[in-house]
Amino acid sequence: MPSERPRLTPAIADVRRAVRAALADLADRAEAATAGTGTHPALVLVGLSGGPDSLALAAATAFEAPRAGLRAGAIVVDHGLQEGSADVAQAAADAARNLGLDPVLVHRVSVGAGGGPEDAARNARYLAFDEALHATGAARLLLGHTLDDQAETVLLGLARGSGAVSLRGMTPLAPARTVPGAHYLRPLVGIRRGTTVAFCVDSGLSPWIDPHNADPAYARVRVRNRVLPLLETELGPGIAEALARTAEQLREDADALDHFAEEWAEEVVGLTEDGSLTLDVGGLAANPPALRQRILRFAARSEYGVSLSRAHTLAISALVTDWHGQGEVSVPGIRVDRRGGLLVFTPQSLTPDAHTKDAPRHGID
């Protein structure tokens, strides 16, 4: 006798609803694009580790995607960092197929050592995600980050003094790193981790419990198991939700400031024929620090692919706001000096005698 379908519990309903809402825009566009053409529905992939969060996401996506006119598959990444990791990856892939996901890809990656173990594993994982997006032509890759993950990210950003870049948390929709037109999608960023665990229980699913998630050697684990519970005890319940709301508000503010900074850059930035970038000192000085520093970072990133740290940005900004004839500022890949009413960004590969006096003014692509 076939087993009965799981009843629609609050946890199942909440996760499915979140996935349905996240896929709605893609479903509308896919319907318009395929109407009367006979082409295949758009494909979405789920990043599946086998843990409660990603397994709940995979099950909800397997249910919701066909109802939205979409196909759904999965990508399982084997980091090779634990004994038996290949078996864990295979079990996750089998679970995905049992849920009806297709295609199901398994990628074994090589994790480097740069930036610490967590960053190295993350970089390898996202590289595999982008390879899967490219290979399958999927439009979205769904990730199982929850509200708890968001709260942990904000706290870690606070501890590092990372500013708005970290405090804005993880965005629900973000461009894929190397695949134009594809996006990462986080449907569960407003769902608590306890809800995904309940989803698996209510659905009769058996998630894998990663032992690394209990290892206090990792800062995120300490935040999860010690810091957040302590804050809940000392300050009252709702801390995780408050941190997530803070991230959302900061993300809105940061997006607005970034937009204005890019508009202002069109007014103050020029480019010489020899590859040096010029920024009008008066235009920079007229802006408040939040915009001025964003303009500097935007210019360096857009023209030279250089990400300025806050210390670098403040040192360059001092050429505008605290000018007393000081020498150039050197940052990785760029030299910056003030020449009259201009800041001149010169690639380290160029000689320092670049002429910029009558350089044409135009915006940055």
Side-chain angles (χ1 to χ4, degrees), residues 24-74:
D25 178 63
L26 180 61
D28 290 343
R29 289 192 286 115
E31 181 179 5
T34 60
T37 65
T39 58
H40 293 296
L43 173 67
V44 298
L45 296 176
V46 177
L48 178 61
S49 69
D53 301 338
S54 66
L55 189 56
L57 175 62
T61 303
F63 182 87
E64 293 292 343
R67 288 161 175 77
L70 304 169
R71 293 180 295 138

Side-chain angles (χ1 to χ4, degrees), residues 57-98:
L57 175 62
T61 303
F63 182 87
E64 293 292 343
R67 288 161 175 77
L70 304 169
R71 293 180 295 138
I75 164 68
V76 181
V77 178
D78 175 10
H79 298 85
L81 297 177
Q82 303 178 48
E83 185 177 352
S85 65
D87 294 334
V88 171
Q90 187 58 55
D94 291 342
R97 294 187 184 98
N98 289 336

